[in-house]
């Protein structure tokens, strides 16, 4: 089964993606993490990725497509995957059709109050990009890598406001497309995440 997760920044699509990945035993492919890794690799694209991310802007569609296509061609994706953060506009949704077959698209919704709350509490590991909510996690290092946790370059109020505006502008055509194809499942992500996940499984 190949899943796509769509949601505004800080809607919790990453968390739900990880839970789906564990439940179905298929890899979680986060487009944001692939790009953060690319930016850490000192490649010719590193600085342009970091600069766009800092401003909360999307990275060039062709570059993103190349990185994603390469990742999805790996052996571990053969039995399915949870794709988190792609597509982010209709052009990417049409691109995706040319190299992947998507079975279900999950649209994760959270209220603006919840999103703002998550922004101030989110810290990430600079090595594996696991994110932690400091409300539930009191240590300041990653439990897998031992690295000291940091803020993401795009977790600032200005970048968030650009990312939210961008999402509002680009998401409806993608959602319409997947509604027409009877692939869209919507889930409200508020409150206890285990209950949210149970509800989602019931809808799938
Ligand atoms: P995320 O980790 O999903 O919140 O993504 C963080 C940032 O990575 C975004 O604000 C964009 O700058 C970039 N990014 C992630 N996915 C995409 C995509 N599909 N297309 C272009 N840029 C992306």
């Amino acid at each position: 089964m190949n899943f796509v997760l769509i949601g505004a920044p800080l809607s919790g699509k990453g968390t739900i993606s990880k839970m789906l990945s564990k439940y179905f035993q298929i890899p979680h492919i986060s487009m944001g993490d692939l790009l953060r890794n690319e930016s850490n690799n000192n490649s010719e694209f590193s600085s342009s990725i970091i600069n766009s991310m800092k401003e909360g802007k999307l990275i060039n569609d062709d570059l993103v497509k190349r990185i994603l296509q390469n990742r999805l061609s790996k052996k571990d994706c053969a039995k399915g995957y949870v794709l988190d953060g792609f597509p982010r506009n209709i052009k990417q949704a049409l691109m995706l059709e040319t190299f992947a077959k998507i079975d279900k698209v999950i649209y994760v919704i959270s209220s603006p109050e919840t999103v703002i709350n998550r922004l101030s509490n989110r810290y990430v590991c600079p090595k594996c990009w696991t994110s932690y909510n400091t409300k539930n996690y009191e240590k300041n290092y990653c439990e897998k890598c031992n690295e000291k946790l940091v803020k993401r370059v795009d977790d600032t109020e200005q970048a968030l406001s650009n990312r939210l505006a961008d999402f509002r502008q680009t998401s409806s055509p993608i959602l319409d497309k997947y509604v027409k194809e009877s692939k869209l499942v919507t889930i409200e992500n508020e409150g206890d995440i285990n209950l949210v996940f149970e509800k989602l499984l019931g809808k799938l």
Side-chain angles (χ1 to χ4, degrees):
M1 189 78 126
N2 298 337
F3 295 97
V4 156
L5 271 283
I6 293 181
L10 290 134
S11 57
K13 63 184 165 46
T15 305
I16 293 182
S17 296
K18 285 197 184 87
M19 293 172 94
L20 281 169
S21 153
K22 199 168 167 198
Y23 185 85
F24 288 102
Q25 293 289 296
I26 50 179
H28 167 213
I29 315 289
S30 156
M31 195 65 238
D33 288 354
L34 292 178
L35 289 165
R36 281 181 280 275
N37 286 340
E38 183 71 25
S39 72
N40 272 357
N41 279 347
N42 274 332
S43 75
E44 57 180 305
F45 308 111
S46 303
S47 58
S48 77
I49 293 177
I50 293 172
N51 290 338
S52 296
M53 273 192 177
K54 264 190 191 156
E55 290 177 37
K57 287 190 182 150
L58 291 185
I59 283 83
N60 171 280
D61 288 331
D62 294 315
L63 172 60
V64 171
K65 178 195 170 198
R66 190 141 32 97
I67 294 171
L68 177 63
Q69 206 171 356
N70 179 43
R71 177 65 187 91
L72 294 186
S73 69
K74 301 269 184 308
K75 227 175 161 184
D76 64 334
C77 293
K79 285 195 186 138
Y81 45 81
V82 182
L83 180 54
D84 158 13
F86 192 102
R88 271 181 144 104
N89 56 40
I90 192 68
K91 186 177 168 203
Q92 291 186 356
L94 296 172
M95 271 179 174
L96 185 62
E97 279 180 350
T98 66
F99 61 90
K101 184 189 154 290
I102 300 306
D103 300 297
K104 287 271 176 217
V105 177
I106 300 165
Y107 176 33
V108 183
I109 303 175
S110 289
S111 69
E113 295 75 34
T114 305
V115 163
I116 294 291
N117 248 319
R118 287 186 189 140
L119 177 71
S120 50
N121 293 323
R122 175 156 79 176
Y123 280 77
V124 297
C125 169
K127 199 168 167 197
C128 71
W129 304 115
T130 297
S131 64
Y132 294 89
N133 182 326
T134 51
K135 256 189 175 170
N136 326 314
Y137 186 79
E138 284 175 0
K139 298 169 200 142
N140 66 350
Y141 56 87
C142 174
E143 55 185 10
K144 295 179 206 155
C145 311
N146 253 351
E147 292 281 329
K148 189 169 184 287
L149 302 181
V150 296
K151 284 302 274 182
R152 273 174 44 163
V153 289
D154 52 353
D155 272 352
T156 60
E157 286 199 19
Q158 184 54 54
L160 178 68
S161 123
N162 290 343
R163 288 154 68 204
L164 285 171
D166 206 71
F167 181 77
R168 276 192 291 271
Q169 228 183 34
T170 55
S171 54
S172 348
I174 312 178
L175 297 171
D176 288 349
K177 170 181 162 55
Y178 291 128
V179 168
K180 279 192 198 125
E181 295 174 10
S182 307
K183 291 181 180 167
L184 197 79
V185 173
T186 300
I187 188 78
E188 278 185 32
N189 183 19
E190 300 285 344
D192 186 334
I193 188 68
N194 293 311
L195 295 180
V196 171
F197 190 64
E198 235 174 71
K199 200 168 166 190
L200 172 63
L201 289 181
K203 289 185 171 203
L204 288 175

